[in-house]
Amino acid sequence: MLRTRLLLLSLIILAAVVLAQPVAAQSGRTRTLFGDVRITGEDNNLVPQEVTLILRKVPEGEMARQTVSSRGRYRFNNLPEGEYELIIESEGKEIGRMSQIYMRERDLSNSPYGFQYDLDFKWKSPAQPVGGVISAADVYERPAATKSVFQKAEEAVAKKKFDQAIDLLKQVVETDKNDFQAWTALGSIYFSEQKFDDAKDAYLKAIEVHPTSPRAYLNLGRVLSSQKKFEEAVEPLTKAVELQPTSGDANYLLGECYLQLKKGSKAIPYLNEAANNGRPDAHLRLGWLYNAAGMKDKAAIEYEEYLKKNPNYPDRNKLKEYIATNKKS
């Protein structure tokens, strides 16, 4: 029961994260990318209430991200000319992607409002909760003095009463400074409210009192990555991978950091490990890397592997066309 509640707390917090990062204005004429988001499923109760959209420019990397409701509208302004891709994530997992979005000067007359790409796809509930399970290293036997307070914090998070949850978790760590789970949960709430310095301090405290917690290192890496502090994020993510080598999330984020630092050769082994441990979207990042390096045959293999794991990918026809053109027989 304890592990179930902890997992629920973590998932709810991560689902509430909003990471809006405005795109810097460019000189001259700029472009706008916008569209409607429509996610439907057999059981509407299981459809995520909000998703995170990540905009990447090829080959530079991430430009901006924003969180919108699953039946809302997104908008990215002040974009320079070029090729883009739009990644849709729910609770840290990729659930869709639009590739080969071209915004060029000759296309500006197509619409006075900008370039419209609507995102409409079916939601399939995962076989198990997104995010995996709580590892043995992250289990904490809480004393009776703080059990009920921590449970109240869980309930407050479930109701999205984050200020109340913060107060309750502060009570927990004031009573028991070694409760690294409470420190980690506190960091995740701060993260969800974009209080990045507070989140970083809470995760560092969790690591100080329990230096073998993979989740604390992973979440610290998430905070730093969200601030584009990729060089700083490498150390905690490397530690997370050392503590939990088969963590798809830790390997993926570490590989992504190396990509953003333009160290593709270092990114490859981590992305390969992520692809083999529940992060099929790592194949897409490897494909992007190989394509940017001119190794289109290797990119085709990665795209093919991705489609094997995600045959209902909304943009699959473009990937199939790329595979047919570039895969060596």
Side-chain angles (χ1 to χ4, degrees):
M1 181 64 71
L2 173 62
R3 294 191 180 191
T4 301
R5 288 200 302 270
L6 290 173
L7 179 57
L8 177 61
L9 176 62
S10 175
L11 295 180
I12 292 172
I13 290 172
L14 290 178
V17 172
V18 179
L19 301 172
Q21 298 175 7
V23 180
Q26 307 290 325
S27 59
R29 198 171 185 183
T30 58
R31 297 132 187 93
T32 296
L33 176 66
F34 70 98
D36 293 323
V37 178
R38 294 290 183 269
I39 303 176
T40 58
E42 295 179 358
D43 186 344
N44 288 330
N45 292 327
L46 299 178
V47 173
Q49 296 302 302
E50 58 186 18
V51 293
T52 299
L53 306 182
I54 303 169
L55 183 68
R56 290 196 178 106
K57 189 173 188 291
V58 179
E60 285 89 342
E62 183 175 327
M63 295 287 287
R65 60 173 65 199
Q66 60 185 244
T67 297
V68 299
S69 72
S70 57
R71 296 187 64 82
R73 169 165 285 204
Y74 71 90
R75 189 179 192 88
F76 294 102
N77 297 316
N78 302 321
L79 302 177
E81 179 178 282
E83 178 185 351
Y84 291 82
E85 59 181 356
L86 188 60
I87 297 92
I88 307 97
E89 290 188 352
S90 173
E91 297 179 344
K93 300 288 187 179
E94 180 173 326
I95 60 173
R97 180 181 295 237
M98 291 286 290
S99 301
Q100 296 180 318
I101 300 174
Y102 295 99
M103 288 185 280
R104 298 168 292 198
E105 190 70 35
R106 63 177 179 269
D107 297 327
L108 288 177
S109 60
N110 289 350
S111 169
Y113 306 107
F115 295 80
Q116 181 170 1
Y117 283 83
D118 294 333
L119 308 174
D120 189 353
F121 54 94
K122 297 287 186 181
W123 170 259
K124 289 191 174 182
S125 302
Q128 60 182 15
V130 175
V133 296
I134 299 292
S135 70
D138 279 325
V139 173
Y140 183 68
E141 294 298 329
R142 189 165 290 105
T146 57
K147 274 187 178 180
S148 62
V149 182
F150 190 85
Q151 289 173 0
K152 289 178 181 178
E154 289 182 308
E155 294 168 3
V157 168
K159 297 175 182 177
K160 296 190 177 182
K161 295 181 178 180
F162 296 128
D163 288 342
Q164 180 182 345
I166 288 173
D167 290 339
L168 291 166
L169 288 170
K170 282 183 175 179
Q171 291 178 37
V172 172
V173 296
E174 285 172 4
T175 303
D176 180 9
K177 66 179 182 179
N178 292 319
D179 192 335
F180 67 94
Q181 285 182 345
W183 284 114
T184 302
L186 189 58
S188 295
I189 297 175
Y190 284 136
F191 187 25
S192 74
E193 297 194 327
Q194 300 184 67
K195 297 177 179 178
F196 299 124
D197 289 340
D198 290 335
K200 177 181 176 181
D201 289 344
Y203 290 138
L204 286 172
K205 190 64 179 179
I207 291 169
E208 177 187 334
V209 299
H210 191 69
T212 58
S213 170
R215 186 170 296 274
Y217 286 106
L218 173 61
N219 288 351
L220 177 58
R222 286 188 195 277
V223 171
L224 295 170
S225 295
S226 73
Q227 296 177 288
K228 298 189 177 182
K229 296 179 179 179
F230 301 112
E231 194 77 54
E232 290 182 46
V234 166
E235 183 177 350
L237 290 173
T238 300
K239 186 65 176 179
V241 169
E242 290 176 358
L243 290 169
Q244 204 168 36
T246 59
S247 169
D249 288 343
N251 278 285
Y252 184 90
L253 282 174
L254 183 53
E256 184 64 33
C257 281
Y258 280 126
L259 281 186
Q260 297 294 334
L261 293 170
K262 302 187 185 306
K263 298 179 179 180
S265 60
K266 287 190 174 183
I268 289 173
Y270 296 108
L271 291 174
N272 279 327
E273 194 68 31
N276 293 328
N277 287 281
R279 290 299 299 260
D281 46 324
H283 287 299
L284 291 177
R285 296 303 284 146
L286 285 165
W288 175 88
L289 174 62
Y290 288 134
N291 180 67
M295 294 184 283
K296 295 183 181 294
D297 56 328
K298 286 191 173 183
I301 292 172
E302 294 298 333
Y303 291 146
E304 188 173 47
E305 288 301 311
Y306 176 71
L307 289 180
K308 288 179 183 177
K309 297 176 180 178
N310 187 14
N312 296 316
Y313 177 55
D315 219 12
R316 59 188 174 278
N317 289 334
K318 287 184 179 180
L319 288 189
K320 287 181 177 180
E321 182 179 344
Y322 184 99
I323 294 167
T325 302
N326 296 288
K327 185 180 178 181
K328 291 181 179 180
S329 56

